[in-house]
Short mmCIF file of all heavy atoms in Angstrom, two decimals:
data_model
loop_
_atom_site.label_atom_id
_atom_site.label_comp_id
_atom_site.label_asym_id
_atom_site.label_seq_id
_atom_site.Cartn_x
_atom_site.Cartn_y
_atom_site.Cartn_z
N ASN B 95 -4.64 -6.44 13.33
CA ASN B 95 -3.50 -6.26 12.44
C ASN B 95 -3.68 -6.97 11.11
O ASN B 95 -2.77 -6.98 10.28
CB ASN B 95 -2.21 -6.69 13.12
CG ASN B 95 -1.69 -5.62 14.08
OD1 ASN B 95 -1.83 -4.43 13.80
ND2 ASN B 95 -1.13 -6.04 15.21
N GLU B 102 -11.30 -1.85 8.74
CA GLU B 102 -12.66 -1.90 9.28
C GLU B 102 -12.87 -0.85 10.39
O GLU B 102 -13.98 -0.36 10.58
CB GLU B 102 -12.95 -3.32 9.79
CG GLU B 102 -14.35 -3.56 10.34
CD GLU B 102 -15.47 -3.45 9.30
OE1 GLU B 102 -15.18 -3.53 8.08
OE2 GLU B 102 -16.63 -3.26 9.70
N LEU B 103 -11.80 -0.50 11.08
CA LEU B 103 -11.90 0.55 12.10
C LEU B 103 -12.43 1.83 11.48
O LEU B 103 -13.24 2.55 12.06
CB LEU B 103 -10.54 0.82 12.74
CG LEU B 103 -10.00 -0.24 13.71
CD1 LEU B 103 -8.55 0.05 14.06
CD2 LEU B 103 -10.85 -0.29 14.98
N GLU B 168 -4.22 11.53 10.03
CA GLU B 168 -4.54 12.94 9.80
C GLU B 168 -5.85 13.32 10.50
O GLU B 168 -5.95 14.36 11.14
CB GLU B 168 -4.62 13.21 8.29
CG GLU B 168 -5.16 14.57 7.89
CD GLU B 168 -4.27 15.75 8.26
OE1 GLU B 168 -3.13 15.52 8.71
OE2 GLU B 168 -4.72 16.90 8.12
N ALA B 321 8.95 9.90 -1.20
CA ALA B 321 8.55 11.31 -1.15
C ALA B 321 9.20 12.08 -2.30
O ALA B 321 8.57 12.92 -2.93
CB ALA B 321 8.92 11.92 0.20
N HIS B 372 17.85 -7.04 1.55
CA HIS B 372 16.44 -6.90 1.95
C HIS B 372 15.82 -5.79 1.10
O HIS B 372 16.28 -4.65 1.14
CB HIS B 372 16.38 -6.55 3.44
CG HIS B 372 15.09 -5.94 3.91
ND1 HIS B 372 13.96 -6.69 4.14
CD2 HIS B 372 14.75 -4.66 4.20
CE1 HIS B 372 12.98 -5.88 4.56
NE2 HIS B 372 13.43 -4.64 4.60
N ASP B 409 14.51 -16.24 0.59
CA ASP B 409 13.37 -16.88 -0.06
C ASP B 409 12.66 -15.89 -1.00
O ASP B 409 12.17 -14.85 -0.55
CB ASP B 409 12.40 -17.37 1.02
CG ASP B 409 11.28 -18.22 0.45
OD1 ASP B 409 10.95 -18.03 -0.75
OD2 ASP B 409 10.73 -19.06 1.19
N ARG B 435 7.81 -3.61 17.20
CA ARG B 435 8.93 -3.54 16.26
C ARG B 435 9.67 -4.86 16.19
O ARG B 435 9.96 -5.37 15.11
CB ARG B 435 9.89 -2.42 16.67
CG ARG B 435 9.35 -1.02 16.40
CD ARG B 435 10.24 0.04 16.98
NE ARG B 435 11.62 -0.07 16.49
CZ ARG B 435 12.64 0.63 16.98
NH1 ARG B 435 12.44 1.48 17.97
NH2 ARG B 435 13.85 0.48 16.49
N VAL B 472 16.90 -4.38 16.37
CA VAL B 472 16.16 -5.62 16.56
C VAL B 472 17.05 -6.87 16.50
O VAL B 472 16.80 -7.86 17.18
CB VAL B 472 15.05 -5.67 15.47
CG1 VAL B 472 14.58 -7.06 15.23
CG2 VAL B 472 13.90 -4.75 15.87
N HIS B 487 25.93 1.05 0.00
CA HIS B 487 27.09 1.89 -0.28
C HIS B 487 28.22 1.72 0.73
O HIS B 487 29.33 2.17 0.52
CB HIS B 487 26.68 3.36 -0.44
CG HIS B 487 26.21 3.64 -1.83
ND1 HIS B 487 24.97 3.25 -2.27
CD2 HIS B 487 26.85 4.19 -2.91
CE1 HIS B 487 24.85 3.57 -3.55
NE2 HIS B 487 25.97 4.14 -3.97
#
Side-chain angles (χ1 to χ4, degrees):
Chain B
N95 281 324
E102 182 66 19
L103 287 170
E168 170 67 8
H372 161 77
D409 188 333
R435 287 173 56 190
V472 158
H487 276 76

